[in-house]
């Protein structure tokens, strides 16, 4: 009996154009530099006397503002859904979102406390392993 042939190409492969590839690569490198750079900045600030909780609060506040602006732009102009609000979260999902936010803040706080005892370069190496 012969084996049934399976098509490898279930979906047609579409290659993005070269400028788009370059933009994607630039975006990924830019994000990695920011993630690695904030460890160095945090280490320098904490060495200078800034409290880890203060730095964490500013980081979370700035990240929240940036993400809310991004969500507003995507909902309003990309998806073109003016009837959808950024804050239109179903009530049943709110406890889970609050739990995830608290766990993310706890992970960042523990990372900043560990940064007090580690060099910034070592901490930067471990950042990609954090969820």
């Amino acid at each position: 009996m012969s084996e049934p042939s399976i098509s490898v190409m279930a979906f047609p492969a579409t290659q993005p154009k070269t400028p788009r590839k370059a933009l994607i690569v630039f975006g990924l490198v830019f994000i990695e530099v920011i993630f690695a750079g904030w460890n160095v900045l945090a280490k320098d600030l904490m060495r200078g006397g800034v409290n880890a909780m203060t730095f964490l609060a500013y980081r979370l506040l700035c990240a929240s503002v940036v993400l809310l602006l991004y969500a507003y732009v995507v909902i309003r102009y990309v998806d073109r859904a003016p009837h959808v609000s950024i804050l239109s979260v179903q009530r049943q999902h709110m406890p889970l979102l609050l739990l995830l936010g608290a766990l993310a803040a706890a992970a960042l706080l523990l990372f900043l406390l560990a940064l007090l005892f580690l060099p910034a370069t070592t901490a930067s190496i471990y950042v990609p392993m954090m969820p």
Side-chain angles (χ1 to χ4, degrees), residues 55-84:
F55 183 75
L56 177 67
Y58 281 123
R59 183 185 185 271
L60 290 175
L61 181 67
C62 292
S64 298
V65 168
V66 168
L67 286 177
L68 281 173
L69 287 173
Y70 176 75
Y72 176 77
V73 168
V74 167
I75 289 173
R76 184 67 64 179
Y77 300 108
V78 176
D79 290 344
R80 299 193 189 281
H83 61 280
V84 177

